[in-house]
Amino acid sequence: IMEPLAASTRRSLEILKRASSVVSILLSVFSIYLIRKHSARATSTSYKTLLMGVVVTAQFNDFYLETLFEPVFLFPFPCIYTEGLLYRRFDVETTTTLAAWIQVMNAMTFPYMFCVIYRNQ
């Protein structure tokens, strides 16, 4: 039987989640800076662009998952309940947000795929 979390525990988890989001954004910005300014001269501009695409799509996926969607993983039925901003503010159904998350994850495959193809030519 599951019990609801205490208010202090829930607040601590929210603070931890927001702090990890800030750290993730800062690391992504730093990664883009390193890719643009300090990568090897032999690295082509198109490959740098692909690498930045990987970083940006991964960051967007994190933002969507942590802020907009916020699924509640309940075994054995994951993602049937959501607490995200899309649900709280705009009353978007869980199935719609889940489908959008799947599309965001699919969009992440393209920069990875192009990076692999580019490096293996």
Side-chain angles (χ1 to χ4, degrees), residues 5 10 20 22 26-29 36 40 45-46 52 54 57 61 72-74 79 81 90-91 94-95 103 110:
L5 292 174
R10 188 171 180 85
S20 68
V22 169
L26 292 175
L27 288 174
S28 293
V29 169
R36 288 184 56 95
T45 305
S46 57
M52 286 190 292
V54 167
T57 55
N61 185 33
V72 176
F73 296 103
L74 297 172
C79 301
Y81 180 69
F90 304 109
D91 200 29
T94 303
T95 53
Q103 293 305 315
F110 290 110

Side-chain angles (χ1 to χ4, degrees), residues 60-77:
F60 181 72
N61 185 33
D62 283 348
F63 173 74
Y64 184 81
L65 188 62
E66 293 177 0
T67 305
L68 299 178
F69 185 31
E70 287 188 53
V72 176
F73 296 103
L74 297 172
F75 184 78
F77 306 109

Side-chain angles (χ1 to χ4, degrees), residues 30-41 48 52:
F30 183 64
S31 297
I32 289 174
Y33 170 76
L34 289 177
I35 290 168
R36 288 184 56 95
K37 300 293 182 184
H38 296 287
S39 55
R41 296 213 187 271
K48 288 179 187 179
M52 286 190 292

Side-chain angles (χ1 to χ4, degrees), residues 1-120:
I1 296 179
M2 292 178 54
E3 296 179 12
L5 292 174
S8 62
T9 305
R10 188 171 180 85
R11 179 79 177 134
S12 298
L13 287 174
E14 284 293 321
I15 290 171
L16 180 65
K17 185 168 59 170
R18 298 300 177 224
S20 68
S21 295
V22 169
V23 169
S24 176
I25 290 169
L26 292 175
L27 288 174
S28 293
V29 169
F30 183 64
S31 297
I32 289 174
Y33 170 76
L34 289 177
I35 290 168
R36 288 184 56 95
K37 300 293 182 184
H38 296 287
S39 55
R41 296 213 187 271
T43 307
S44 70
T45 305
S46 57
Y47 191 65
K48 288 179 187 179
T49 306
L50 288 173
L51 288 176
M52 286 190 292
V54 167
V55 172
V56 168
T57 55
Q59 185 58 45
F60 181 72
N61 185 33
D62 283 348
F63 173 74
Y64 184 81
L65 188 62
E66 293 177 0
T67 305
L68 299 178
F69 185 31
E70 287 188 53
V72 176
F73 296 103
L74 297 172
F75 184 78
F77 306 109
C79 301
I80 60 170
Y81 180 69
T82 182
E83 295 179 336
L85 189 65
L86 290 175
Y87 178 73
R88 287 181 295 180
R89 298 276 193 247
F90 304 109
D91 200 29
V92 177
E93 293 183 13
T94 303
T95 53
T96 306
T97 55
L98 178 61
W101 181 46
I102 291 169
Q103 293 305 315
V104 168
M105 289 181 58
N106 285 337
M108 285 180 59
T109 61
F110 290 110
Y112 284 110
M113 179 183 66
F114 290 136
C115 279
V116 169
I117 290 171
Y118 185 85
R119 293 309 279 179
N120 291 312

